[in-house]
Structure formats: structure tokens, C-alpha cells
């Protein structure tokens, strides 16, 4: 650069009339549950995003622009998710939003992003129907509809289960959707259900349901729960002498279960996800090492999914020529995202377009292969 221009530029920056760093930031919103029961997931998710963003920025950013994350706590509550989405979209003027943590919140808040033509990208929403909201709604979390049939059939093949009892939360979008999909998978595989019991968010005593289940002599308990209830359910089952395997959904696939149900209480829990800490691909090995180095703890599938999601968004952003016109830039990012193919910590990834209730093309789901794992002595072990 010519030296007089350099001086002019420097004085403009000093005078505050031009901010090179700010002008070049790509502002991305992150709305996750960082307090309340779902914070068990939210913090892992936040860590994954921040790790990926720091890697991308350290490597020079996106076409020279740095990613700046605006972090908001949606508390795992749908009203709060709506508030936070509005703040990020209209006040912070983010280019896109990652989150929210729960499908329950996504179902409430994603329509705000859709109406504002701003991408809402979930990394942990697995219930049916989320991406039917519209074409600005994306997720890289594989749905319960895709994973649960594989979990059930693997457990059936390896455990020889003939009949199961079902326990699920009946007041949450994800736990209800998990129930629907478990029910369908069990019917498809002709596994009879000996009892179906329910609970609600915030419940702490599950002994009545577990005792009833015990009296029907199932070979396993199929559980659609979030950790806040799923942890105590496993503890109380073991206290009642129920040593049966549990077959869980996405909510039970977190290392936090080993804290919530310590020792043998968390043994024999079957779950499915594209990610496993023992999947020794170069991408995953690099992710696990980088995560451990930064956070001094092991990652889980929730951090792996958010880590990959940030890299997926970065791939799309590389193709977008940002103009500074927010509406145009938001739409250009939306248009670039569906074409991204990425191999990350969770393996090979691409999007597949979902349909809305009228059968018309809507948002985008993940196309990935599930790995089934079973817990033993504080670890998830791959079951083939
Ligand atoms: C959903 C889920 C939860 C387990 C996310 C934390 O899968 O709400 O869809």
C-alpha cells in the first residue's frame, strides 16, 4: 500500500470513522441452553462452536474475515429461545443463528428466523418436523426417526430381546417424537411392548413407573428422556434391583450420564449417533485431541456436532460474496449451505432436503450413518 494511503487509513481508524476489524467480522449468533436442565448439553455445544471458530480464525478466517460469535443463553425454554432469536436477528443483526439446544425450543423459535429470512442451524435437534418449518431451517443432527430403528435392531440382534417396556417424557417435543419413533421401530421389528409409562419435565421420583414396568418382565427398557430425568431414572431403576439394559435416544447420548448415574447405575445403556469418541478417523482424532487440549475434558457427540456445524457453515461462507447488505447476505448464505459436503468429527456429511406438511420442499436434514454404542464402566463402547 502507498505510504500516504496507509497514513490516511490509520488516521481514519484512529478517528473511529473506519473500523477495519469490525467491518470484516462475520457475526454469527449462538442461542443455546447455558442454564437449567438442558445446560448439560448446551455447554458442550458451545465448546464445539468456539473450538471450530478459533481454528477457522487462526487459519486466517473466511476469505480474510474473522468469525465473531454472539453467545446467548436460551435456558432450554421456548419463550426464552424466542426472545433470544429476536435479539440476535433484529438487534445484533447476526448473519445466521446456531441453536437452539432442544427441539422443544426450536419448534417455537425457528419460525422467527424463517420469517426474518435468517438461517437457524440446529446441531442437536432430532425431533420430527423441525425442518418442515421452512427453507431457512437447517440441522446437522441426525433425527430420531433415522437413528432409533438402528439402535433397536442392533440391541435386538446383540441382546436377543423379545419384549420391552417403554418410558418417555410426554411434555417435550423431542421426548414425544422419540416415543413415536421408538413405537414405530418396535412395531416394524415385531417387538411387543409390555408396558408404556410416562413422566414430565421436572419430575424427580420415577419409582411408581419403574415398579410397574418391572412387574411386566420386559427384556429391556426403551427410554425417551433428556438427561435431567434420564439420569435419576437409571439410578432409581438400579435401586429397585432392575438390572435391565436401557435403550435410549439422543438425550441419553452424553458423557454427563456417568456423573448423573455414577458407577454401575449407568451400565448397559444403548444409544446411537454418527459420532463416537472411538471412531479413529483422522478428522475425529484431531477434534478429540484439540478439544481435550482446550477444555481439559473429553468431548461428547454434542460438541462434535457443533464443531462440525461451524465448519459446514464456514464452507458455505467461503462461497458467499458478502456485500454488507444484511438481507442479501443472509439469503446468499442460505442458498450456499445446501451444497456443502464435509467430512468432520462425525464422519461424512451432507444435507438432504425435508418437506413441509403440504409435501413441499422445506428445510434441510442431515444425511449420516449412525454408530451404536453401549455404556460400560463410564464409557460408551461401539457395538457392531
Ligand atoms: C432434541 C434433542 C435433545 C437431546 C438435544 C439436547 O435431541 O431436543 O431434539
Amino acid at each position: 500500500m502507498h505510504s500516504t494511503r496507509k497514513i490516511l487509513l490509520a488516521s481514519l481508524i484512529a478517528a473511529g470513522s473506519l473500523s477495519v476489524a469490525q467491518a470484516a467480522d462475520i457475526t454469527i449468533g449462538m442461542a443455546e441452553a447455558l442454564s437449567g436442565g438442558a445446560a448439560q448439553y448446551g455447554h458442550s455445544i458451545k465448546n464445539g462452536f468456539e473450538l471450530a471458530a478459533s481454528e477457522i480464525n487462526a487459519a486466517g478466517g473466511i476469505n480474510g474475515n474473522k468469525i465473531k460469535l454472539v453467545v446467548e443463553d436460551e435456558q432450554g425454554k421456548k419463550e426464552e429461545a424466542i426472545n433470544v432469536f429476536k435479539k440476535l436477528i433484529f438487534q445484533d443483526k447476526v448473519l445466521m443463528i446456531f441453536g437452539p439446544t432442544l427441539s422443544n425450543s426450536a419448534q417455537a423459535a425457528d419460525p422467527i428466523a424463517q420469517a426474518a429470512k435468517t438461517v437457524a442451524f440446529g446441531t442437536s435437534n432430532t425431533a420430527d418436523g423441525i425442518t418442515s418449518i421452512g427453507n431457512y431451517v437447517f440441522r446437522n443432527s441426525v433425527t430420531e426417526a433415522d437413528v432409533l430403528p438402528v439402535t433397536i435392531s442392533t440391541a435386538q440382534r446383540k441382546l436377543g430381546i423379545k419384549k420391552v417396556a417403554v418410558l418417555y417424557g410426554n411434555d417435550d417435543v423431542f421426548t414425544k417424537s422419540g416415543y413415536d419413533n421408538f413405537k414405530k421401530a418396535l412395531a416394524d421389528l415385531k417387538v411387543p411392548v409390555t408396558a408404556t409409562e410416562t413422566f414430565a419435565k421436572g419430575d424427580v421420583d420415577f419409582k411408581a413407573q419403574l415398579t410397574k414396568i418391572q412387574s411386566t418382565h420386559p427384556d429391556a427398557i426403551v427410554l425417551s428422556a433428556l438427561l435431567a430425568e434420564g439420569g435419576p431414572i437409571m439410578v432409581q431403576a438400579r435401586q429397585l434391583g432392575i438390572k435391565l439394559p436401557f435403550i435410549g435416544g439422543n438425550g441419553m447420548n452424553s458423557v454427563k450420564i456417568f456423573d448423573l448415574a455414577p458407577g454401575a447405575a449407568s451400565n448397559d445403556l444403548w444409544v446411537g449417533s454418527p459420532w463416537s469418541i472411538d471412531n479413529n478417523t483422522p478428522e475425529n482424532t484431531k477434534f478429540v485431541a484439540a478439544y481435550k487440549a482446550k477444555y481439559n475434558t473429553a468431548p461428547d457427540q454434542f460438541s462434535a456436532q457443533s464443531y462440525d456445524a461451524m465448519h459446514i457453515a464456514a464452507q458455505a461462507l467461503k462461497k458467499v460474496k458478502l456485500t454488507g447488505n444484511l438481507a442479501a447476505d443472509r439469503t446468499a448464505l442460505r442458498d450456499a449451505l445446501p451444497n456443502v459436503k464435509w467430512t468432520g468429527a462425525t464422519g461424512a456429511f451432507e444435507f438432504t432436503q425435508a418437506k413441509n406438511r403440504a409435501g413441499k420442499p422445506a428445510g434441510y436434514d442431515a444425511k449420516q450413518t449412525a454408530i451404536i454404542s453401549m455404556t460400560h464402566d463410564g464409557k460408551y463402547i461401539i457395538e457392531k
Side-chain angles (χ1 to χ4, degrees), residues 278-331:
D278 295 324
N279 195 17
N280 294 322
T281 63
E283 295 81 8
N284 196 36
T285 304
K286 177 174 166 264
F287 161 70
V288 173
Y291 191 98
K292 281 184 178 162
K294 191 170 164 93
Y295 301 110
N296 215 9
T297 182
D300 61 13
Q301 62 141 354
F302 292 96
S303 44
Q305 303 242 127
S306 57
Y307 174 84
D308 279 0
M310 181 63 78
H311 282 290
I312 289 165
Q315 292 308 304
L317 280 164
K318 277 185 193 161
K319 299 270 164 63
V320 174
K321 212 170 156 4
L322 294 170
T323 63
N325 176 327
L326 186 58
D329 289 347
R330 282 171 169 171
T331 298

Side-chain angles (χ1 to χ4, degrees), residues 16 69 177 191 273 287 373:
L69 275 175
S177 180
V191 180
S273 153
F287 161 70
S373 301

Side-chain angles (χ1 to χ4, degrees), residues 102-179:
L102 302 179
S103 291
N104 208 52
S105 301
Q107 199 185 57
D110 286 2
I112 309 281
Q114 177 66 35
K117 292 193 161 49
T118 304
V119 166
F121 190 145
T123 67
S124 57
N125 309 143
T126 61
D128 291 343
I130 300 300
T131 46
S132 73
I133 290 167
N135 62 345
Y136 279 78
V137 179
F138 290 74
R139 61 176 157 190
N140 72 327
S141 35
V142 183
T143 61
E144 293 288 76
D146 282 350
V147 175
L148 299 185
V150 191
T151 318
I152 294 280
S153 66
T154 307
Q156 186 189 32
R157 177 164 48 80
K158 301 213 69 166
L159 293 170
I161 48 171
K162 303 236 158 19
K163 53 192 190 323
V164 299
V166 179
L167 180 57
Y168 75 100
N170 64 2
D171 61 347
D172 174 89
V173 168
F174 154 77
T175 57
K176 280 197 288 184
S177 180
Y179 167 67

Side-chain angles (χ1 to χ4, degrees), residues 222-279:
V222 166
L223 176 63
S224 184
L226 292 166
L227 281 170
E229 290 78 31
I233 285 171
M234 290 198 75
V235 170
Q236 289 171 30
R238 301 323 185 202
Q239 284 168 353
L240 289 168
I242 302 174
K243 299 217 173 75
L244 297 172
F246 275 85
I247 302 171
N250 197 49
M252 297 301 285
N253 194 349
S254 159
V255 286
K256 300 278 167 17
I257 192 63
F258 304 123
D259 302 330
L260 294 169
S266 52
N267 277 352
D268 296 324
L269 166 64
W270 293 67
V271 293
S273 153
W275 185 81
S276 160
I277 197 158
D278 295 324
N279 195 17

Side-chain angles (χ1 to χ4, degrees), residues 1 3-15 17-18 20:
M1 196 186 291
S3 65
T4 49
R5 280 190 61 201
K6 223 189 241 172
I7 293 161
L8 178 65
L9 193 59
S11 55
L12 277 170
I13 292 167
S17 44
L18 188 68
V20 169

Side-chain angles (χ1 to χ4, degrees), residues 212-224:
K212 210 153 161 217
I213 282 172
Q214 196 174 21
S215 73
T216 64
H217 304 294
D219 301 324
I221 299 175
V222 166
L223 176 63
S224 184

